[in-house]
Amino acid sequence: MSSSVNTMEIESSDVIRLIQQFLKENNLLNSLAALQEETTVALNTVESIEAFSSEILQGHWDNVLRIVSQLKIPEKKLMDLYEQIVIELAELREINTARTLLRQTTPTQLLREQFPDRYLHLEHVLSRSHFEPKEAYPNGVSKEKRRQIIAQALSSEVTVVAPSRLVTLLGQALKFQEQQGMLPPDSAYDLFRGTVPVVKAEADDVPSKCYNTIKFPKKQHAECVAFSPNGQYLVTGSADGFIEIWNYLTAKLRKDLKYQAEDNLMAMESAVLSLGFSKDSEMLASGAQDGKIKVWKIQTGQCLRRYSPAHQGGVTSVCFSPDGTQVLSASFDLTIRLHGLKSGKMLREFRGHTSFVNHASFSLDGTQILSSSSDGTIKIWDYKTANCLKSLTPHDGTGTMAGVAGLTVNSCIPFPKPNQILVCMKSPTAYLLTMDGESIRKFMSPESSTEGATKDLTAAAAARAAGDDNARKEGLGVPMTDFVALSLSPQSEIVYCLAENSQVHCYYADSAKLIKSIPVAEGEVIGMVSHPLSNVLAINTVDGRVLLWKA
Protein backbone atom coordinates (compact mmCIF):
# COMPACT_ATOMS: atom_id res chain seq x y z
CA MET A 1 0.00 0.00 0.00
CA SER A 2 1.36 3.42 -0.89
CA SER A 3 0.43 6.92 0.23
CA SER A 4 1.26 10.32 -1.18
CA VAL A 5 3.68 12.52 0.71
CA ASN A 6 2.50 16.07 1.36
CA THR A 7 4.94 18.78 0.36
CA MET A 8 5.01 22.40 1.47
CA GLU A 9 5.87 25.22 -0.89
CA ILE A 10 8.72 27.37 0.39
CA GLU A 11 9.11 30.86 -1.04
CA SER A 12 12.60 31.59 -2.29
CA SER A 13 12.36 35.08 -0.79
CA ASP A 14 11.90 33.51 2.67
CA VAL A 15 15.07 31.50 2.22
CA ILE A 16 16.92 34.66 1.18
CA ARG A 17 15.66 36.48 4.28
CA LEU A 18 16.87 33.66 6.51
CA ILE A 19 20.33 34.01 4.98
CA GLN A 20 20.14 37.80 5.36
CA GLN A 21 19.29 37.48 9.03
CA PHE A 22 22.25 35.15 9.50
CA LEU A 23 24.53 37.70 7.80
CA LYS A 24 23.15 40.55 9.92
CA GLU A 25 23.53 38.67 13.19
CA ASN A 26 27.10 37.76 12.32
CA ASN A 27 27.91 41.39 11.41
CA LEU A 28 28.52 40.57 7.74
CA LEU A 29 26.92 43.85 6.68
CA ASN A 30 28.65 44.21 3.32
CA SER A 31 27.48 40.76 2.32
CA LEU A 32 24.00 41.60 3.58
CA ALA A 33 23.88 44.80 1.52
CA ALA A 34 25.13 42.98 -1.59
CA LEU A 35 22.55 40.21 -1.20
CA GLN A 36 19.71 42.69 -0.69
CA GLU A 37 20.76 44.68 -3.74
CA GLU A 38 21.22 41.69 -6.02
CA THR A 39 18.01 39.90 -5.01
CA THR A 40 15.90 43.03 -4.34
CA VAL A 41 14.65 41.15 -1.29
CA ALA A 42 14.85 43.15 1.94
CA LEU A 43 15.24 41.70 5.40
CA ASN A 44 13.25 44.44 7.17
CA THR A 45 13.38 42.93 10.63
CA VAL A 46 13.86 44.56 14.00
CA GLU A 47 14.35 43.04 17.39
CA SER A 48 11.20 44.71 18.70
CA ILE A 49 8.58 46.81 16.92
CA GLU A 50 7.67 48.42 20.23
CA ALA A 51 11.27 49.42 20.88
CA PHE A 52 11.66 50.71 17.30
CA SER A 53 8.48 52.75 17.59
CA SER A 54 9.59 54.08 20.96
CA GLU A 55 12.87 55.33 19.50
CA ILE A 56 10.88 57.34 16.94
CA LEU A 57 8.39 58.71 19.46
CA GLN A 58 11.25 59.85 21.71
CA GLY A 59 13.17 61.40 18.83
CA HIS A 60 16.27 59.23 19.18
CA TRP A 61 17.07 59.89 15.53
CA ASP A 62 20.64 58.56 15.56
CA ASN A 63 19.33 55.12 16.58
CA VAL A 64 16.42 55.35 14.15
CA LEU A 65 18.71 56.19 11.21
CA ARG A 66 21.06 53.33 12.12
CA ILE A 67 18.15 50.87 12.07
CA VAL A 68 16.57 52.31 8.93
CA SER A 69 19.87 52.12 7.04
CA GLN A 70 19.54 48.30 7.11
CA LEU A 71 15.89 48.29 6.00
CA LYS A 72 14.13 48.76 2.70
CA ILE A 73 11.61 51.56 3.26
CA PRO A 74 9.39 53.16 0.60
CA GLU A 75 10.75 56.47 -0.66
CA LYS A 76 7.77 58.52 0.51
CA LYS A 77 8.09 57.29 4.09
CA LEU A 78 11.82 57.99 4.07
CA MET A 79 11.17 61.54 2.85
CA ASP A 80 8.69 62.05 5.72
CA LEU A 81 11.25 60.75 8.20
CA TYR A 82 14.12 62.93 6.98
CA GLU A 83 11.85 65.98 6.78
CA GLN A 84 10.94 65.52 10.44
CA ILE A 85 14.56 65.06 11.50
CA VAL A 86 15.61 68.29 9.71
CA ILE A 87 12.84 70.22 11.48
CA GLU A 88 13.80 68.87 14.90
CA LEU A 89 17.49 69.65 14.30
CA ALA A 90 16.42 73.22 13.47
CA GLU A 91 14.53 73.35 16.76
CA LEU A 92 17.70 72.26 18.57
CA ARG A 93 19.59 74.94 16.57
CA GLU A 94 21.82 72.26 15.03
CA ILE A 95 21.67 74.25 11.81
CA ASN A 96 24.85 72.95 10.15
CA THR A 97 23.90 69.33 10.78
CA ALA A 98 20.38 69.99 9.52
CA ARG A 99 21.69 71.64 6.31
CA THR A 100 24.06 68.71 5.68
CA LEU A 101 21.20 66.27 6.10
CA LEU A 102 18.93 68.34 3.87
CA ARG A 103 21.38 68.87 1.04
CA GLN A 104 23.45 65.66 1.00
CA THR A 105 21.12 62.71 1.59
CA THR A 106 19.16 60.78 -1.00
CA PRO A 107 15.69 61.04 0.62
CA THR A 108 15.89 64.85 0.86
CA GLN A 109 17.08 65.11 -2.74
CA LEU A 110 14.07 63.07 -3.76
CA LEU A 111 11.95 65.45 -1.69
CA ARG A 112 13.46 68.37 -3.62
CA GLU A 113 12.63 66.74 -6.94
CA GLN A 114 9.16 65.47 -6.14
CA PHE A 115 7.91 67.97 -3.56
CA PRO A 116 9.82 71.23 -4.14
CA ASP A 117 7.46 73.25 -1.92
CA ARG A 118 8.21 71.07 1.08
CA TYR A 119 11.93 71.26 0.38
CA LEU A 120 11.85 75.07 0.17
CA HIS A 121 9.85 75.14 3.40
CA LEU A 122 12.70 73.32 5.16
CA GLU A 123 15.27 75.75 3.70
CA HIS A 124 13.16 78.62 5.03
CA VAL A 125 12.93 77.07 8.53
CA LEU A 126 16.71 76.71 8.64
CA SER A 127 17.29 80.30 7.49
CA ARG A 128 15.29 81.83 10.35
CA SER A 129 17.17 83.23 13.35
CA HIS A 130 14.81 81.50 15.74
CA PHE A 131 12.55 78.44 15.63
CA GLU A 132 8.83 79.04 15.30
CA PRO A 133 6.78 75.79 15.91
CA LYS A 134 3.67 77.10 14.16
CA GLU A 135 5.72 77.91 11.11
CA ALA A 136 7.58 74.56 11.22
CA TYR A 137 4.37 72.55 11.73
CA PRO A 138 1.61 74.20 9.73
CA ASN A 139 -2.02 73.09 9.72
CA GLY A 140 -2.05 72.63 13.50
CA VAL A 141 0.06 69.45 13.50
CA SER A 142 2.38 69.12 16.52
CA LYS A 143 5.81 67.52 16.77
CA GLU A 144 4.40 64.66 18.82
CA LYS A 145 1.67 64.00 16.27
CA ARG A 146 4.20 63.94 13.43
CA ARG A 147 6.34 61.45 15.37
CA GLN A 148 3.31 59.21 15.89
CA ILE A 149 2.46 59.28 12.19
CA ILE A 150 6.04 58.42 11.23
CA ALA A 151 6.30 55.69 13.91
CA GLN A 152 3.11 54.07 12.64
CA ALA A 153 4.23 54.29 9.01
CA LEU A 154 7.70 52.83 9.58
CA SER A 155 6.50 50.12 12.00
CA SER A 156 4.19 48.78 9.32
CA GLU A 157 7.23 48.12 7.11
CA VAL A 158 9.12 45.89 9.56
CA THR A 159 8.60 42.53 11.22
CA VAL A 160 9.99 40.82 14.28
CA VAL A 161 11.70 37.46 13.81
CA ALA A 162 13.15 35.30 16.53
CA PRO A 163 16.95 35.34 16.52
CA SER A 164 18.98 32.72 14.67
CA ARG A 165 16.05 31.46 12.62
CA LEU A 166 18.21 29.72 10.02
CA VAL A 167 20.16 27.76 12.61
CA THR A 168 16.99 27.03 14.59
CA LEU A 169 15.11 25.69 11.55
CA LEU A 170 18.02 23.51 10.53
CA GLY A 171 18.22 22.16 14.06
CA GLN A 172 14.49 21.45 14.11
CA ALA A 173 14.71 19.67 10.76
CA LEU A 174 17.54 17.46 11.99
CA LYS A 175 15.65 16.75 15.22
CA PHE A 176 12.57 15.72 13.24
CA GLN A 177 14.67 13.42 11.03
CA GLU A 178 16.21 11.94 14.15
CA GLN A 179 12.78 11.31 15.71
CA GLN A 180 11.57 9.71 12.48
CA GLY A 181 14.54 7.36 12.46
CA MET A 182 16.18 9.10 9.51
CA LEU A 183 19.30 10.05 11.46
CA PRO A 184 21.08 8.35 14.34
CA PRO A 185 20.68 10.45 17.51
CA ASP A 186 23.60 12.18 19.20
CA SER A 187 25.84 11.70 16.19
CA ALA A 188 27.89 14.05 14.07
CA TYR A 189 26.16 15.14 10.87
CA ASP A 190 27.64 16.76 7.79
CA LEU A 191 24.94 19.35 7.10
CA PHE A 192 26.50 20.51 3.83
CA ARG A 193 26.83 17.04 2.30
CA GLY A 194 23.70 15.71 3.98
CA THR A 195 25.44 12.62 5.35
CA VAL A 196 26.39 11.08 8.65
CA PRO A 197 30.19 10.76 8.71
CA VAL A 198 31.49 7.21 8.71
CA VAL A 199 32.15 6.27 12.29
CA LYS A 200 35.42 4.70 13.26
CA ALA A 201 35.16 1.34 14.94
CA GLU A 202 34.81 1.50 18.70
CA ALA A 203 37.16 -0.20 21.11
CA ASP A 204 35.69 -3.63 21.78
CA ASP A 205 33.47 -4.03 24.81
CA VAL A 206 30.79 -6.47 25.95
CA PRO A 207 27.16 -5.40 25.41
CA SER A 208 25.47 -5.00 28.76
CA LYS A 209 21.98 -3.58 28.25
CA CYS A 210 19.04 -3.90 25.88
CA TYR A 211 18.50 -0.30 24.80
CA ASN A 212 15.76 -0.79 22.22
CA THR A 213 13.44 -3.34 20.62
CA ILE A 214 11.85 -3.67 17.19
CA LYS A 215 8.50 -5.44 17.47
CA PHE A 216 6.80 -7.35 14.65
CA PRO A 217 3.18 -8.54 14.43
CA LYS A 218 2.36 -12.14 15.19
CA LYS A 219 3.52 -14.61 12.50
CA GLN A 220 5.53 -11.81 10.86
CA HIS A 221 8.72 -12.17 12.91
CA ALA A 222 12.16 -11.39 11.50
CA GLU A 223 13.70 -14.57 10.13
CA CYS A 224 17.02 -12.83 9.46
CA VAL A 225 18.83 -9.61 10.35
CA ALA A 226 21.86 -7.88 8.84
CA PHE A 227 23.97 -4.76 9.41
CA SER A 228 25.47 -2.96 6.42
CA PRO A 229 29.29 -2.85 6.29
CA ASN A 230 29.27 0.94 6.74
CA GLY A 231 27.14 0.59 9.87
CA GLN A 232 24.35 2.86 8.56
CA TYR A 233 21.62 0.27 8.00
CA LEU A 234 19.97 -2.47 10.02
CA VAL A 235 17.85 -4.66 7.75
CA THR A 236 15.29 -7.30 8.67
CA GLY A 237 13.74 -10.00 6.49
CA SER A 238 10.39 -11.19 7.77
CA ALA A 239 8.30 -14.34 7.64
CA ASP A 240 5.72 -12.44 5.56
CA GLY A 241 8.30 -11.57 2.90
CA PHE A 242 8.90 -7.90 3.72
CA ILE A 243 12.38 -6.40 3.90
CA GLU A 244 12.70 -3.29 6.07
CA ILE A 245 15.53 -0.91 6.87
CA TRP A 246 15.77 0.48 10.39
CA ASN A 247 17.64 3.05 12.41
CA TYR A 248 19.44 0.70 14.77
CA LEU A 249 19.65 3.35 17.53
CA THR A 250 16.01 4.45 17.61
CA ALA A 251 14.49 1.15 16.37
CA LYS A 252 12.38 3.18 13.93
CA LEU A 253 11.86 2.59 10.24
CA ARG A 254 14.17 4.71 8.08
CA LYS A 255 11.76 7.25 6.57
CA ASP A 256 14.58 9.16 4.87
CA LEU A 257 14.36 6.41 2.26
CA LYS A 258 11.52 7.67 0.07
CA TYR A 259 10.13 4.26 -0.80
CA GLN A 260 9.77 3.36 2.87
CA ALA A 261 8.18 6.72 3.65
CA GLU A 262 5.61 5.90 0.95
CA ASP A 263 5.09 2.34 2.27
CA ASN A 264 6.59 0.82 -0.89
CA LEU A 265 8.66 -1.75 0.96
CA MET A 266 11.06 -4.20 -0.62
CA ALA A 267 9.46 -7.64 -0.55
CA MET A 268 9.80 -11.29 -1.52
CA GLU A 269 6.94 -13.64 -2.38
CA SER A 270 7.67 -15.88 0.63
CA ALA A 271 9.53 -15.78 3.94
CA VAL A 272 12.92 -14.06 3.77
CA LEU A 273 15.55 -16.48 5.10
CA SER A 274 18.80 -14.65 4.34
CA LEU A 275 20.24 -11.20 3.69
CA GLY A 276 23.63 -9.98 2.52
CA PHE A 277 25.15 -6.57 1.71
CA SER A 278 27.64 -5.59 -0.93
CA LYS A 279 30.95 -4.30 0.39
CA ASP A 280 30.02 -0.67 -0.40
CA SER A 281 26.66 -1.04 1.41
CA GLU A 282 24.77 0.12 -1.70
CA MET A 283 23.21 -3.23 -2.68
CA LEU A 284 21.32 -5.85 -0.69
CA ALA A 285 20.70 -9.47 -1.68
CA SER A 286 17.74 -11.35 -0.18
CA GLY A 287 17.02 -15.08 -0.30
CA ALA A 288 13.58 -16.58 0.27
CA GLN A 289 11.87 -19.79 1.30
CA ASP A 290 10.67 -20.39 -2.29
CA GLY A 291 14.24 -20.50 -3.64
CA LYS A 292 14.20 -17.01 -5.17
CA ILE A 293 16.86 -14.33 -4.79
CA LYS A 294 16.51 -10.60 -5.42
CA VAL A 295 19.14 -7.89 -5.46
CA TRP A 296 18.09 -4.40 -4.35
CA LYS A 297 19.49 -0.86 -4.52
CA ILE A 298 19.25 0.41 -0.96
CA GLN A 299 18.81 4.12 -1.71
CA THR A 300 15.87 3.65 -4.09
CA GLY A 301 14.40 0.28 -3.15
CA GLN A 302 14.68 -0.72 -6.82
CA CYS A 303 15.02 -4.42 -7.60
CA LEU A 304 18.15 -4.64 -9.74
CA ARG A 305 18.11 -8.39 -10.41
CA ARG A 306 15.85 -11.41 -9.88
CA TYR A 307 16.95 -15.04 -9.82
CA SER A 308 13.69 -16.95 -10.04
CA PRO A 309 14.28 -19.49 -8.84
CA ALA A 310 17.90 -19.56 -7.84
CA HIS A 311 17.46 -22.89 -5.98
CA GLN A 312 14.98 -25.73 -5.66
CA GLY A 313 14.79 -25.13 -1.92
CA GLY A 314 14.89 -22.28 0.56
CA VAL A 315 17.89 -19.95 0.28
CA THR A 316 19.71 -20.17 3.61
CA SER A 317 22.57 -17.79 2.87
CA VAL A 318 23.43 -14.98 0.42
CA CYS A 319 26.53 -12.84 0.08
CA PHE A 320 28.25 -10.71 -2.54
CA SER A 321 31.63 -11.38 -4.05
CA PRO A 322 34.32 -8.93 -2.87
CA ASP A 323 34.02 -6.92 -6.11
CA GLY A 324 30.20 -6.81 -5.91
CA THR A 325 29.65 -8.40 -9.34
CA GLN A 326 28.38 -11.80 -8.20
CA VAL A 327 26.06 -13.28 -5.59
CA LEU A 328 26.89 -16.48 -3.71
CA SER A 329 24.00 -18.50 -2.28
CA ALA A 330 23.42 -21.66 -0.27
CA SER A 331 20.24 -23.68 0.02
CA PHE A 332 18.24 -26.49 1.52
CA ASP A 333 18.62 -28.16 -1.92
CA LEU A 334 22.18 -29.22 -0.85
CA THR A 335 23.95 -26.86 -3.29
CA ILE A 336 25.95 -23.64 -3.32
CA ARG A 337 25.59 -21.48 -6.42
CA LEU A 338 27.33 -18.44 -7.85
CA HIS A 339 25.21 -15.99 -9.84
CA GLY A 340 26.30 -13.17 -12.17
CA LEU A 341 24.79 -9.83 -11.29
CA LYS A 342 25.11 -8.44 -14.82
CA SER A 343 24.08 -11.57 -16.69
CA GLY A 344 21.44 -12.74 -14.25
CA LYS A 345 22.61 -16.31 -14.82
CA MET A 346 24.07 -19.02 -12.63
CA LEU A 347 27.81 -19.07 -13.25
CA ARG A 348 28.87 -22.06 -11.13
CA GLU A 349 27.40 -24.73 -8.90
CA PHE A 350 29.20 -26.35 -5.99
CA ARG A 351 27.90 -29.87 -5.28
CA GLY A 352 29.04 -32.35 -2.66
CA HIS A 353 27.11 -31.80 0.56
CA THR A 354 24.69 -34.56 1.54
CA SER A 355 22.38 -32.40 3.65
CA PHE A 356 21.19 -28.80 3.94
CA VAL A 357 23.81 -26.14 3.27
CA ASN A 358 23.32 -23.62 6.07
CA HIS A 359 25.89 -21.00 5.18
CA ALA A 360 28.37 -20.02 2.47
CA SER A 361 30.93 -17.22 2.28
CA PHE A 362 34.10 -16.14 0.53
CA SER A 363 37.54 -16.57 2.04
CA LEU A 364 39.37 -13.38 2.99
CA ASP A 365 41.29 -13.31 -0.29
CA GLY A 366 38.20 -14.16 -2.36
CA THR A 367 39.80 -17.20 -4.03
CA GLN A 368 37.89 -19.86 -2.11
CA ILE A 369 34.35 -20.59 -0.97
CA LEU A 370 33.56 -21.83 2.55
CA SER A 371 30.34 -23.80 3.08
CA SER A 372 28.73 -25.22 6.23
CA SER A 373 26.24 -28.04 6.19
CA SER A 374 23.92 -30.12 8.32
CA ASP A 375 25.91 -33.14 7.09
CA GLY A 376 28.52 -32.18 9.69
CA THR A 377 31.15 -30.90 7.27
CA ILE A 378 32.79 -27.70 6.21
CA LYS A 379 33.83 -27.73 2.59
CA ILE A 380 36.39 -25.46 0.99
CA TRP A 381 35.92 -24.92 -2.73
CA ASP A 382 38.00 -23.40 -5.50
CA TYR A 383 36.14 -20.26 -6.56
CA LYS A 384 37.08 -20.53 -10.24
CA THR A 385 36.72 -24.26 -10.86
CA ALA A 386 34.04 -25.17 -8.27
CA ASN A 387 36.24 -28.15 -7.26
CA CYS A 388 36.06 -29.21 -3.62
CA LEU A 389 39.57 -28.68 -2.22
CA LYS A 390 38.93 -29.93 1.32
CA SER A 391 36.13 -31.45 3.33
CA LEU A 392 36.52 -30.94 7.08
CA THR A 393 34.78 -32.78 9.86
CA PRO A 394 35.98 -30.52 12.66
CA HIS A 395 37.86 -32.12 15.54
CA ASP A 396 39.95 -31.06 18.48
CA GLY A 397 42.79 -33.57 18.04
CA THR A 398 41.15 -36.41 19.93
CA GLY A 399 38.43 -37.27 17.45
CA THR A 400 35.26 -35.70 16.17
CA MET A 401 34.13 -32.71 18.15
CA ALA A 402 32.11 -33.50 21.25
CA GLY A 403 32.60 -37.17 20.39
CA VAL A 404 29.70 -37.13 17.95
CA ALA A 405 30.08 -37.54 14.20
CA GLY A 406 28.14 -35.35 11.81
CA LEU A 407 27.07 -32.51 14.09
CA THR A 408 25.26 -29.81 12.12
CA VAL A 409 27.55 -26.93 11.19
CA ASN A 410 25.51 -23.74 11.43
CA SER A 411 28.12 -21.43 9.95
CA CYS A 412 31.80 -20.79 9.48
CA ILE A 413 33.21 -17.33 8.87
CA PRO A 414 36.73 -16.15 8.03
CA PHE A 415 38.65 -14.98 11.07
CA PRO A 416 40.71 -11.85 10.29
CA LYS A 417 43.96 -13.79 10.36
CA PRO A 418 45.33 -15.77 7.42
CA ASN A 419 43.91 -19.29 6.99
CA GLN A 420 41.71 -19.23 10.10
CA ILE A 421 37.96 -19.73 10.39
CA LEU A 422 35.41 -19.50 13.20
CA VAL A 423 32.95 -22.39 13.31
CA CYS A 424 29.54 -22.50 14.95
CA MET A 425 28.12 -26.03 15.26
CA LYS A 426 25.02 -27.40 16.85
CA SER A 427 26.95 -28.05 20.02
CA PRO A 428 27.83 -26.18 23.23
CA THR A 429 31.27 -25.35 21.80
CA ALA A 430 32.46 -23.09 18.97
CA TYR A 431 35.86 -23.47 17.35
CA LEU A 432 38.65 -21.51 15.80
CA LEU A 433 40.23 -23.72 13.16
CA THR A 434 42.91 -23.57 10.54
CA MET A 435 41.81 -23.99 6.94
CA ASP A 436 43.24 -27.52 7.24
CA GLY A 437 40.78 -28.33 10.04
CA GLU A 438 43.22 -28.19 12.97
CA SER A 439 41.75 -26.84 16.18
CA ILE A 440 43.38 -23.66 17.44
CA ARG A 441 40.94 -22.72 20.18
CA LYS A 442 37.63 -23.84 21.69
CA PHE A 443 34.93 -21.49 22.98
CA MET A 444 33.02 -23.63 25.46
CA SER A 445 29.69 -22.75 27.04
CA PRO A 446 29.98 -22.36 30.83
CA GLU A 447 27.91 -25.52 31.36
CA SER A 448 30.32 -27.59 29.28
CA SER A 449 33.03 -27.30 31.91
CA THR A 450 30.68 -28.24 34.73
CA GLU A 451 31.04 -31.81 35.96
CA GLY A 452 27.86 -33.75 35.40
CA ALA A 453 26.53 -31.47 32.69
CA THR A 454 24.55 -33.16 29.94
CA LYS A 455 22.83 -32.32 26.64
CA ASP A 456 19.97 -34.72 27.41
CA LEU A 457 17.46 -32.43 29.14
CA THR A 458 15.30 -35.32 30.34
CA ALA A 459 18.32 -37.00 31.88
CA ALA A 460 19.40 -33.68 33.32
CA ALA A 461 16.07 -33.20 35.05
CA ALA A 462 16.13 -36.74 36.41
CA ALA A 463 19.71 -36.38 37.65
CA ARG A 464 18.97 -33.13 39.41
CA ALA A 465 15.87 -34.62 41.02
CA ALA A 466 17.82 -37.65 42.20
CA GLY A 467 20.95 -35.85 43.40
CA ASP A 468 21.51 -34.53 46.91
CA ASP A 469 22.35 -30.90 47.68
CA ASN A 470 26.08 -31.43 47.16
CA ALA A 471 25.44 -33.11 43.82
CA ARG A 472 23.37 -30.16 42.72
CA LYS A 473 26.11 -27.73 43.70
CA GLU A 474 28.62 -29.72 41.67
CA GLY A 475 26.43 -29.38 38.59
CA LEU A 476 24.97 -32.87 38.37
CA GLY A 477 22.49 -32.88 35.51
CA VAL A 478 23.08 -29.27 34.49
CA PRO A 479 21.64 -28.99 30.95
CA MET A 480 24.00 -27.95 28.18
CA THR A 481 22.54 -25.96 25.32
CA ASP A 482 23.81 -25.72 21.75
CA PHE A 483 25.02 -22.61 20.02
CA VAL A 484 22.77 -21.09 17.37
CA ALA A 485 25.00 -18.35 15.94
CA LEU A 486 28.27 -16.54 16.46
CA SER A 487 29.73 -13.20 15.46
CA LEU A 488 32.73 -10.97 16.09
CA SER A 489 33.16 -7.59 17.78
CA PRO A 490 34.25 -4.60 15.64
CA GLN A 491 37.98 -5.14 16.34
CA SER A 492 37.60 -8.96 16.33
CA GLU A 493 38.84 -9.15 19.91
CA ILE A 494 35.61 -10.66 21.28
CA VAL A 495 33.65 -13.68 20.02
CA TYR A 496 29.90 -13.66 20.71
CA CYS A 497 28.11 -17.02 20.82
CA LEU A 498 24.32 -17.15 20.97
CA ALA A 499 22.97 -20.25 22.70
CA GLU A 500 19.58 -21.94 22.44
CA ASN A 501 18.85 -20.97 26.06
CA SER A 502 18.82 -17.32 24.86
CA GLN A 503 22.14 -16.39 26.41
CA VAL A 504 25.03 -14.71 24.66
CA HIS A 505 28.42 -15.95 25.86
CA CYS A 506 31.25 -13.48 25.26
CA TYR A 507 34.86 -14.71 24.93
CA TYR A 508 38.26 -13.18 24.35
CA ALA A 509 39.19 -14.24 20.84
CA ASP A 510 42.89 -14.66 21.64
CA SER A 511 42.40 -16.93 24.66
CA ALA A 512 38.82 -18.29 24.49
CA LYS A 513 38.41 -17.11 28.09
CA LEU A 514 34.78 -16.44 28.98
CA ILE A 515 34.22 -12.76 29.77
CA LYS A 516 30.54 -12.78 30.53
CA SER A 517 27.26 -14.58 29.84
CA ILE A 518 24.26 -12.38 29.13
CA PRO A 519 20.61 -13.52 29.15
CA VAL A 520 19.41 -11.53 26.14
CA ALA A 521 15.86 -12.82 25.60
CA GLU A 522 13.02 -14.62 27.32
CA GLY A 523 11.72 -16.54 24.31
CA GLU A 524 13.30 -18.73 21.65
CA VAL A 525 16.07 -17.06 19.66
CA ILE A 526 16.64 -17.36 15.90
CA GLY A 527 19.87 -15.54 15.17
CA MET A 528 22.31 -12.78 16.03
CA VAL A 529 24.43 -10.22 14.16
CA SER A 530 26.95 -7.67 15.41
CA HIS A 531 27.43 -4.09 14.26
CA PRO A 532 30.64 -3.63 12.23
CA LEU A 533 31.71 -0.43 14.03
CA SER A 534 29.89 -0.27 17.37
CA ASN A 535 29.49 -2.65 20.29
CA VAL A 536 25.91 -3.44 19.33
CA LEU A 537 24.20 -6.81 18.93
CA ALA A 538 20.87 -7.46 17.20
CA ILE A 539 19.10 -10.69 18.24
CA ASN A 540 15.92 -11.81 16.47
CA THR A 541 13.43 -14.03 18.30
CA VAL A 542 10.53 -16.31 17.42
CA ASP A 543 8.08 -14.13 19.35
CA GLY A 544 8.53 -11.27 16.87
CA ARG A 545 11.22 -9.06 18.39
CA VAL A 546 14.62 -7.81 17.38
CA LEU A 547 16.47 -6.98 20.58
CA LEU A 548 19.19 -4.35 20.38
CA TRP A 549 21.96 -4.61 22.94
CA LYS A 550 24.90 -2.26 23.45
CA ALA A 551 27.89 -1.88 25.75
Side-chain angles (χ1 to χ4, degrees), residues 16 81 89 171 181 223 240 264 277 284 405 413 443 504-505 537:
I16 293 170
L81 170 64
L89 287 173
E223 287 280 1
D240 58 0
N264 292 326
F277 274 96
L284 176 73
I413 59 175
F443 303 89
V504 172
H505 304 298
L537 294 177

Side-chain angles (χ1 to χ4, degrees), residues 155-398:
S155 295
S156 67
E157 296 294 332
V158 298
T159 56
V160 174
V161 179
S164 304
R165 282 294 294 156
L166 180 61
V167 175
T168 299
L169 286 172
L170 290 173
Q172 290 173 343
L174 294 178
K175 189 66 177 177
F176 173 79
Q177 288 185 316
E178 181 183 302
Q179 291 172 346
Q180 294 300 308
M182 302 176 186
L183 294 176
D186 303 323
S187 66
Y189 183 72
D190 189 326
L191 187 61
F192 183 67
R193 292 183 176 86
T195 59
V196 178
V198 175
V199 182
K200 293 183 179 179
E202 296 177 354
D204 286 351
D205 199 0
V206 174
S208 58
K209 61 180 178 180
C210 182
Y211 68 91
N212 232 323
T213 302
I214 301 171
K215 297 179 181 178
F216 291 85
K218 195 173 183 181
K219 295 183 180 180
Q220 298 176 23
H221 63 271
E223 287 280 1
C224 51
V225 183
F227 281 109
S228 60
N230 65 6
Q232 296 293 321
Y233 305 116
L234 171 64
V235 183
T236 57
S238 302
D240 58 0
F242 285 108
I243 301 163
E244 295 165 293
I245 303 177
W246 306 84
N247 181 321
Y248 74 91
L249 293 174
T250 64
K252 292 182 178 180
L253 202 65
R254 291 280 298 261
K255 294 294 183 70
D256 56 325
L257 298 170
K258 185 180 179 181
Y259 59 95
Q260 292 202 149
E262 296 175 347
D263 291 331
N264 292 326
L265 300 179
M266 297 180 289
M268 305 292 285
E269 288 73 29
S270 62
V272 185
L273 302 185
S274 53
L275 295 165
F277 274 96
S278 59
K279 188 177 181 180
D280 60 9
S281 301
E282 293 185 2
M283 292 185 292
L284 176 73
S286 57
Q289 178 71 49
D290 59 8
K292 296 177 182 178
I293 293 174
K294 291 183 182 180
V295 176
W296 310 88
K297 188 173 179 62
I298 287 291
Q299 281 298 318
T300 64
Q302 176 190 2
C303 183
L304 302 175
R305 177 63 66 190
R306 292 176 174 84
Y307 304 97
S308 181
H311 289 274
Q312 279 66 56
V315 182
T316 56
S317 171
V318 285
C319 71
F320 282 88
S321 59
D323 63 3
T325 63
Q326 298 163 348
V327 175
L328 182 71
S329 61
S331 172
F332 290 135
D333 68 5
L334 318 187
T335 68
I336 306 105
R337 291 176 178 173
L338 188 67
H339 314 269
L341 189 57
K342 187 175 181 179
S343 67
K345 298 179 180 179
M346 184 181 74
L347 304 177
R348 282 184 280 286
E349 184 177 66
F350 305 79
R351 282 188 171 272
H353 283 295
T354 58
S355 187
F356 303 149
V357 185
N358 300 314
H359 189 264
S361 62
F362 286 87
S363 61
L364 286 178
D365 61 9
T367 63
Q368 297 175 334
I369 304 295
L370 312 174
S371 61
S372 310
S373 172
S374 294
D375 64 11
T377 66
I378 298 167
K379 292 188 184 295
I380 301 175
W381 312 80
D382 185 281
Y383 159 73
K384 290 184 177 180
T385 66
N387 292 331
C388 182
L389 304 176
K390 297 171 187 174
S391 184
L392 311 177
T393 301
H395 63 86
D396 58 8
T398 59

Side-chain angles (χ1 to χ4, degrees), residues 421-471:
I421 53 175
L422 271 172
V423 180
C424 176
M425 302 182 69
K426 187 174 174 58
S427 78
T429 307
Y431 299 84
L432 179 64
L433 305 177
T434 68
M435 294 281 277
D436 293 321
E438 296 178 4
S439 178
I440 301 172
R441 213 163 285 129
K442 295 191 294 185
F443 303 89
M444 302 175 64
S445 69
E447 300 88 358
S448 298
S449 58
T450 304
E451 186 177 354
T454 177
K455 286 189 64 176
D456 186 334
L457 299 186
T458 302
R464 289 179 65 82
D468 57 23
D469 289 341
N470 289 331

Side-chain angles (χ1 to χ4, degrees), residues 27-43:
N27 205 32
L28 300 171
L29 302 183
N30 291 335
S31 300
L32 171 61
L35 184 59
Q36 289 188 139
E37 181 180 355
E38 187 169 353
T39 62
T40 69
V41 175
L43 180 59

Side-chain angles (χ1 to χ4, degrees), residues 51-93:
F52 178 51
S53 180
S54 177
E55 295 281 17
I56 298 171
L57 294 174
Q58 295 179 45
H60 296 163
W61 301 118
D62 52 344
N63 291 338
V64 173
L65 289 177
R66 178 179 54 80
I67 295 170
V68 167
S69 67
Q70 299 178 19
L71 306 175
K72 186 176 181 180
I73 304 295
E75 291 177 351
K76 184 179 183 305
K77 294 183 179 182
L78 278 179
M79 287 188 280
D80 292 342
L81 170 64
Y82 275 74
E83 182 182 29
Q84 180 63 24
I85 295 173
V86 169
I87 292 173
E88 294 199 22
L89 287 173
E91 182 180 1
L92 296 171
R93 308 316 292 161

